[in-house]
Amino acid sequence: MTREEIGNGSEDMVIDECEPEGRERNSVPDEFNANYLKVYYGKLFPHADIFKWISYGNDGKHPACDQSYFSRREFSYTLDNDIYLRYQSFNSASELENSIKEKCPFKIDIGPVYSVDPAKRHAYAQTGDNVFTPVERELVFDIDITDYDDVRYCCSGADVCLDCWPLMTVAIKVIDTSLRDDFGFNHILWVFSGRRGVHCWVCDGKARRLTNEQRASIAEYFRVYKGNENSLKKVSFTGLALHPFLARSYSEVLKDFFKSKLLLSQKLFSTEERYEKILEMIPDESITSELRGKWQENKRSSISKEDTNVVRWQQLKHILQSGRPKAQGLRRCVEEIVFSFTYPRLDMEVSKHMNHLLKAPFCVHPKTGRVCVPIDPNCCEEFDPTAVPTLSKLLEEMNMGTLRADVDNEWDRTSLGKSIRFFRSSFLQPLLKSCKEEIENSYNAKLQHSKNSMSW
Amino acid sequence: MEIYGYQRKALHSDAISTLPLYRSAPPLDVRLEDFELFAIDRLRVLKGISDGLSRGKKPEEIDNLAKDLWKANMRHPEASEVVNKDIISHFVLRLVYCRTEDLRKWFLSMETALFRYRFRLESAEAQRALMAEFDLPYKAVSNSEFESMKDNLGQVARSIGQPLTPADTKFYTVPFEEVPELVAGRRVFVHKGHAYVAMNQVVSLVATQFRSHLSKALILTNRKWTSSIREQEKDRLTPIVEALCTSYLGPDYSEPREFAEISIRDIDQIAMSSFPLCMRHLFEKLREDHHLKHGGRMQLGLFLKGVGLKLDDALAFWKAEFSQKVGAERFDKEYAYSIRHNYGREGKRTDYTPFSCQKIISSTPGVGDHHGCPYRHFSEENLRAALGKMRVNSRAVEDVMDKVRNRHYQLACTLTFEAVHGTSCDAGINHPNQYFSESQKVVQSKVSI
């Protein structure tokens, strides 16, 4: 690997090996460009791991492997000049790798597995018997922090910071728990989208074979927030109790997160504009005017040492939850407020259709230069989107690590190593083990069946 | 299923319940007459349900409607033949309704609605037996499991506003994929991929299965129909099948009833009070232009016959109008014959029956024509004006226009009837003569008070 390969050939490229962290000025300029990407795809991007994942055990080694499985998977590329190439398919790991290295796509999307190789789709009809249609696809979710713009005051639009990122953390916890406990899925991959959100890939065989209708039903099961700028209260809990899934999410994750984190990081009650937004969610004039009265006074005499937001939340809760039986619309008002702010907001369309394409893990986000690394749901509170390795940082690290000879892979000398090792140990290996078992079992079952049918 | 000209053999039924699943065509012999008649009876039930649904009736009302329709139409003098009639009529209608996408969709929806209603009525054991027949991968929840799940199950029940009673202890588990509607609505407890379904929710499970099976069967039936049956049966079953889906199913008004006799003296007044819009329009145009083209003469002429206008009066009536345009001689030469023809006094001597709404709606009036269904063919402006002349209040006019926009022309006419007469017409209008007789009933009941 030579320095000439890294772009602009400026004299700033001298890297001081004694310095533990190459300062941006002296090392790789912080950019995203085709040359950096070429190096990335050449040395760091885990082609083989992606292949192994997407093959789901159909790597040709077992007689029961489906030889056509990998080649029926659609990939799509977004190239440098915004050219978009759909229906890319490959027959082997090396074909995939060579194509990526050659075309150097700015974004790689993974689509479904079709009934036939997408390259041959024109020979097949859209309806009727002989069709070109998706047959398998992971169950996927896309959560984007811009969908929470109405409840975060620290940033807006594409920005994300450590005050609002925890909304994503909470979303991961709620959805991940439900996918495992309620739906019984095991092989779940959470990935940072590179800028301001997370993707979730549910890869169990059962999940891949779900129909559009079934996917929609899971997405609906997860949907709570139903609103737009026009409706005042966007979460509404009628009924005499909360469904156990919602109750568990509330008691295990959301209640505490709201009270201890969000309230303070977003200062939800600190200004009139902000607390009015919450008062709008209470369908009782007498209560809202009582609270409003308290808070307008309070501005002038803030004696208490306690944070205003905490105090006001207590007051609100007290009025809504104490003593006298409440009118219908008020019974779960506190929960409704908490859910409005904290409950996951999914992009329904992404999950409902098998043919929806989703960005591949380990791509680099063109606007931030950050790698789309996996997130461990078990310690997602520790994930820091602002510290995710960038393309330039990785190249820097590669430059610095030339002395180490004991690693097989370039990526192991960089901060990407941790992510790839995590991907392998906690996701890929258990997944492949289970796929092999599945292939093995169905093969044996077929053998048994044919033996039985041959007996007299 | 074999169709013969002679008596059928009874099917040996081994089902616990009387609700067939229509899995496969049974080995029955069916008389040709029954082939058509049974299908017509069943079609009345399905069309009645369809009507109820498009009128926006609530589920409980649909249930009652289905019950009444079934009782009224699907009986058979021999008790043992009731199930056979059920099965035979279903399979005949499959032939009728497999032929296009729209027909299949309609049939699928109505049969599923009917099935839901009938399933709900079955006893718990019969329901379980039916579920077993569907190969539904359900498992009964044991008492001990129920005890451990009770809190969660109770919570789900309360969350959907249907708290469990002590009697509700029967639950089933199915893979969640089998009950997408229940999962989507968070109406079931889901654990490790299993959905815990209450007995009353089982209907949803079963109906989905029924529908999906029937949907596949219809596709296969269509293939067989187009590839072999239609041609093989072109002289026997095919004409019956092709006519069935557009058939009008009410009384044909070929025999005018006593009280409906009218004379030409009263005809103007009666036209104002009791003619449906299509006939009012033709009548007015006839008075205005002293002429109607062929389509209009047929539609109005047969209607008047059905309403009780005798042949002599009819001849006098038409002559009075036409002679103002073409002269009495020409009338006698060119028009009188066809009027007599309509009354069965000429030529083939077929006594023609007045046109039903279905027939009128599907006709295509051209330039200078005034027949057809005004709800279909009038511009919005003209229709509003016509309804105004009938003194339909503005609220009702909006409802009518709404039905017209959705192409429910007969419902539009029904709403007009209800607005004009101030009563409801639950049966819905499907024949102009029906409109007339219903209207006369109302008018005369007012008179007698």
Side-chain angles (χ1 to χ4, degrees):
Chain A
M1 206 261 331
T2 64
R3 285 182 210 140
E4 284 80 71
E5 280 178 344
I6 309 173
N8 34 28
S10 94
E11 50 284 321
D12 289 341
M13 292 291 208
V14 175
I15 293 167
D16 191 342
E17 279 163 28
C18 298
E19 286 189 55
E21 280 166 54
R23 264 177 247 136
E24 245 103 73
R25 246 170 281 120
N26 293 331
S27 39
V28 179
D30 197 12
E31 304 176 18
F32 173 87
N33 64 48
N35 291 322
Y36 289 7
L37 204 55
K38 217 167 177 67
V39 178
Y40 179 74
Y41 285 138
K43 304 275 182 179
L44 299 176
F45 183 84
H47 301 275
D49 296 272
I50 299 288
F51 171 79
K52 282 188 193 146
W53 165 32
I54 296 294
S55 307
Y56 290 99
N58 287 300
D59 51 12
K61 297 192 184 127
H62 191 282
C65 283
D66 180 348
Q67 307 287 8
S68 72
Y69 188 82
F70 184 72
S71 55
R72 290 185 283 120
R73 170 78 70 162
E74 177 189 2
F75 292 85
S76 77
Y77 290 159
T78 306
L79 302 182
D80 189 347
N81 29 22
D82 267 340
I83 291 182
Y84 185 58
L85 300 174
R86 265 201 82 172
Y87 298 113
Q88 306 296 295
S89 59
F90 311 100
N91 293 315
S92 66
S94 55
E95 258 189 54
L96 172 69
E97 181 169 347
N98 291 336
S99 166
I100 293 176
K101 283 178 177 167
E102 191 216 334
K103 295 219 160 64
C104 207
F106 274 28
K107 184 161 83 106
I108 303 172
D109 286 314
I110 302 176
V113 178
Y114 282 93
S115 49
V116 288
D117 184 333
K120 307 197 179 99
R121 67 191 180 282
H122 296 300
Y124 294 84
Q126 284 296 310
T127 52
D129 273 357
N130 217 8
V131 280
F132 172 68
T133 190
V135 295
E136 269 193 30
R137 206 271 191 279
E138 294 76 7
L139 173 64
V140 292
F141 298 97
D142 181 354
I143 309 175
D144 189 317
I145 209 159
T146 54
D147 287 336
Y148 294 74
D149 278 355
D150 61 316
V151 296
R152 58 175 185 147
Y153 301 111
C154 52
C155 308
S156 69
D159 297 329
V160 115
C161 70
L162 291 180
D163 279 337
C164 53
W165 177 261
L167 285 165
M168 297 288 102
T169 305
V170 155
I172 294 176
K173 286 198 190 152
V174 168
I175 302 293
D176 189 76
T177 306
S178 182
L179 287 171
R180 289 175 204 275
D181 291 355
D182 300 347
F183 292 98
F185 294 124
N186 294 307
H187 303 287
I188 302 172
L189 177 70
W190 288 93
V191 185
F192 175 51
S193 75
R195 184 159 60 154
R196 60 190 195 207
V198 295
H199 297 159
C200 176
W201 300 75
V202 185
C203 303
D204 298 55
K206 231 171 44 140
R208 303 195 314 268
R209 293 184 281 269
L210 290 171
T211 64
N212 285 354
E213 191 192 5
Q214 289 159 346
R215 284 158 207 268
S217 76
I218 299 176
E220 284 296 324
Y221 178 88
F222 286 144
R223 183 153 81 130
V224 164
Y225 179 82
K226 279 176 205 191
N228 50 41
E229 310 79 57
N230 297 324
S231 51
L232 273 181
K233 190 148 72 160
K234 295 146 195 195
V235 176
S236 182
F237 293 136
T238 52
L240 309 163
L242 283 182
H243 185 281
F245 156 61
L246 298 178
R248 177 191 65 215
S249 303
Y250 181 71
S251 60
E252 286 179 11
V253 181
L254 303 178
K255 178 167 158 186
D256 219 62
F257 171 70
F258 182 86
K259 189 174 70 177
S260 329
K261 294 258 173 58
L262 200 66
L263 194 54
L264 300 163
S265 68
Q266 298 297 327
K267 301 190 185 10
L268 296 176
F269 288 89
S270 56
T271 69
E272 185 173 334
E273 191 188 334
R274 292 185 190 187
Y275 67 62
E276 277 301 327
K277 206 144 84 168
I278 298 179
L279 290 180
E280 263 174 18
M281 300 183 191
I282 302 174
D284 184 315
E285 278 282 344
S286 61
I287 293 181
T288 52
S289 35
E290 188 180 334
L291 287 170
R292 199 176 283 120
K294 271 204 180 76
W295 299 343
Q296 276 163 354
E297 273 175 37
N298 209 293
K299 251 191 290 194
R300 292 174 242 128
S301 57
S302 41
I303 312 166
S304 162
K305 283 220 189 92
E306 264 202 286
D307 185 289
T308 319
N309 300 290
V310 173
V311 168
R312 289 179 177 176
W313 177 239
Q314 297 287 48
Q315 289 170 335
L316 186 152
K317 267 202 299 187
H318 182 75
I319 284 194
L320 283 175
Q321 286 177 336
S322 67
R324 38 199 170 128
K326 295 291 180 292
Q328 259 285 32
L330 292 176
R331 219 180 302 166
R332 300 211 181 282
C333 204
V334 172
E335 287 92 328
E336 286 167 351
I337 294 172
V338 171
F339 271 78
S340 291
F341 279 89
T342 62
Y343 183 84
R345 303 179 183 188
L346 306 173
D347 184 338
M348 305 291 285
E349 289 309 305
V350 169
S351 308
K352 284 182 179 179
H353 304 287
M354 281 178 95
N355 56 14
H356 195 104
L357 293 149
L358 192 63
K359 181 159 68 174
F362 297 106
C363 280
V364 182
H365 197 296
K367 302 224 169 73
T368 60
R370 296 203 194 272
V371 180
C372 301
V373 292
I375 301 177
D376 183 353
N378 294 324
C379 48
C380 50
E381 322 77 55
E382 289 160 23
F383 182 82
D384 179 356
T386 61
V388 171
T390 60
L391 191 50
S392 45
K393 176 149 178 263
L394 291 176
L395 296 184
E396 232 174 76
E397 289 171 346
M398 263 171 51
N399 287 346
M400 290 192 323
T402 42
L403 292 180
R404 288 189 65 185
D406 59 330
V407 288
D408 296 317
N409 303 291
E410 287 284 348
W411 47 256
D412 228 342
R413 299 176 204 175
T414 68
S415 21
L416 194 61
K418 196 171 89 150
S419 293
I420 295 183
R421 266 176 269 120
F422 170 76
F423 179 81
R424 288 180 177 183
S425 61
S426 78
F427 171 71
L428 190 57
Q429 272 148 22
L431 173 65
L432 291 180
K433 179 159 174 268
S434 143
C435 288
K436 293 284 183 194
E437 273 167 18
E438 217 180 288
I439 291 177
E440 191 76 49
N441 290 340
S442 84
Y443 182 68
N444 290 336
K446 280 205 189 99
L447 279 182
Q448 195 57 44
H449 180 78
S450 58
K451 278 194 201 135
N452 292 342
S453 58
M454 286 196 293
S455 60
W456 295 102
Chain B
M1 200 160 65
E2 290 298 323
I3 319 289
Y4 289 104
Y6 49 86
Q7 272 290 6
R8 83 186 75 60
K9 299 173 229 151
L11 172 70
H12 185 57
S13 170
D14 50 22
I16 302 175
S17 78
T18 53
L19 179 54
L21 295 180
Y22 316 109
R23 280 306 175 76
S24 52
L28 291 175
D29 302 327
V30 185
R31 282 190 318 177
L32 198 56
E33 303 95 82
D34 288 339
F35 183 88
E36 188 175 9
L37 291 175
F38 286 178
I40 289 181
D41 284 343
R42 192 186 192 90
L43 203 47
R44 285 206 183 89
V45 178
L46 296 183
K47 288 205 170 171
I49 294 175
S50 179
D51 203 53
L53 287 170
S54 57
R55 282 166 150 250
K57 285 197 197 252
K58 290 187 231 105
E60 316 84 65
E61 294 174 298
I62 299 286
D63 273 357
N64 285 330
L65 180 64
K67 184 166 80 168
D68 294 338
L69 287 165
W70 189 264
K71 224 165 71 163
N73 292 291
M74 294 303 286
R75 283 177 306 199
H76 194 284
E78 283 166 65
S80 59
E81 294 299 304
V82 172
V83 176
N84 290 349
K85 177 169 173 176
D86 183 354
I87 298 175
I88 292 166
S89 59
H90 172 89
F91 278 94
V92 174
L93 288 183
R94 271 198 203 181
L95 282 176
V96 178
Y97 283 90
C98 69
R99 295 166 299 134
T100 73
E101 180 77 42
D102 282 345
L103 289 177
R104 288 196 288 271
K105 223 166 129 182
W106 183 88
F107 183 66
L108 211 49
S109 295
M110 299 313 132
E111 280 284 336
T112 305
L114 181 62
F115 180 81
R116 263 181 208 271
Y117 146 70
R118 292 174 74 193
F119 183 84
R120 271 196 280 267
L121 288 187
E122 296 281 322
S123 69
E125 298 92 70
Q127 286 178 336
R128 269 195 281 277
L130 283 165
M131 281 157 74
E133 282 216 57
F134 272 118
D135 283 328
L136 284 175
Y138 78 99
K139 268 169 42 189
V141 169
S142 69
N143 286 331
S144 54
E145 194 184 355
F146 177 75
E147 285 305 310
S148 68
M149 289 290 181
K150 208 162 59 161
D151 288 340
N152 282 318
L153 297 176
Q155 196 173 346
V156 176
R158 290 201 307 281
S159 78
I160 56 176
Q162 291 171 11
L164 296 182
T165 66
D168 293 316
T169 54
K170 265 292 150 231
F171 273 79
Y172 297 92
T173 55
V174 272
F176 77 88
E177 297 97 312
E178 301 288 329
V179 285
E181 298 146 28
L182 296 177
V183 169
R186 286 194 296 266
R187 302 181 74 83
V188 282
F189 181 63
V190 188
H191 183 67
K192 292 293 181 204
H194 298 289
Y196 286 74
V197 182
M199 191 65 214
N200 62 38
Q201 295 172 317
V202 163
V203 180
S204 157
L205 254 177
V206 172
T208 311
Q209 290 291 317
F210 177 83
R211 194 191 167 105
S212 110
H213 177 265
L214 183 55
S215 174
K216 294 189 193 115
L218 282 175
I219 307 275
L220 290 174
T221 308
N222 184 40
R223 272 191 215 145
K224 275 210 279 191
W225 171 259
T226 35
S227 64
S228 55
I229 305 178
R230 183 174 59 191
E231 183 55 35
Q232 276 169 19
E233 292 290 339
K234 70 176 193 288
D235 298 321
R236 195 174 64 147
L237 299 183
T238 302
I240 299 176
V241 165
E242 287 177 350
L244 267 172
C245 66
T246 52
S247 64
Y248 163 70
L249 298 172
D252 63 5
Y253 299 98
S254 53
E255 292 300 319
R257 279 171 274 173
E258 287 277 326
F259 71 82
E261 275 182 26
I262 59 171
S263 72
I264 29 177
R265 255 186 358 223
D266 312 320
I267 202 169
D268 284 279
Q269 192 192 26
I270 289 178
M272 284 303 121
S273 66
S274 296
F275 279 15
L277 184 58
C278 52
M279 303 305 174
R280 264 178 81 117
H281 180 62
L282 282 167
F283 187 81
E284 275 169 23
K285 281 297 169 190
L286 176 61
R287 286 289 193 223
E288 230 178 84
D289 302 337
H290 310 296
H291 190 272
L292 277 180
K293 291 177 92 168
H294 179 258
R297 293 200 300 271
M298 287 297 279
Q299 189 172 310
L300 183 59
L302 289 172
F303 170 76
L304 291 174
K305 184 178 83 152
V307 139
L309 193 65
K310 298 231 200 359
L311 177 61
D312 295 328
D313 284 343
L315 283 166
F317 169 72
W318 290 98
K319 184 166 182 176
E321 283 303 328
F322 270 59
S323 44
Q324 292 179 58
K325 185 85 180 271
V326 304
E329 236 182 75
R330 246 185 92 187
F331 174 81
D332 287 333
K333 237 164 76 170
E334 295 176 30
Y335 296 98
Y337 178 87
S338 53
I339 294 171
R340 304 233 313 268
H341 199 268
N342 286 346
Y343 278 72
R345 308 295 170 84
E346 299 284 356
K348 268 201 312 195
R349 314 268 162 163
T350 317
D351 207 1
Y352 288 97
T353 54
F355 297 165
S356 66
C357 287
Q358 225 152 28
K359 184 148 182 184
I360 290 174
I361 287 170
S362 56
S363 63
T364 46
V367 177
D369 281 327
H370 298 294
H371 63 279
C373 177
Y375 296 100
R376 182 172 172 210
H377 292 114
F378 275 23
S379 67
E380 177 162 341
E381 212 182 294
N382 290 345
L383 187 54
R384 282 179 185 274
L387 292 172
K389 263 168 68 179
M390 286 175 83
R391 297 207 228 115
V392 176
N393 71 66
S394 52
R395 175 78 186 280
V397 169
E398 291 315 314
D399 289 341
V400 169
M401 296 317 293
D402 181 65
K403 292 291 176 206
V404 167
R405 258 172 249 126
N406 289 312
R407 294 193 249 160
H408 293 138
Y409 308 119
Q410 285 167 249
L411 292 180
C413 190
T414 310
L415 287 176
T416 306
F417 179 95
E418 290 177 346
V420 167
H421 296 82
T423 59
S424 68
C425 176
D426 283 330
I429 297 298
N430 38 41
H431 198 292
N433 288 90
Q434 174 206 5
Y435 185 109
F436 181 84
S437 34
E438 291 300 315
S439 171
Q440 282 289 292
K441 277 194 205 140
V442 174
V443 164
Q444 276 163 20
S445 69
K446 286 191 179 141
V447 169
S448 47
I449 292 168

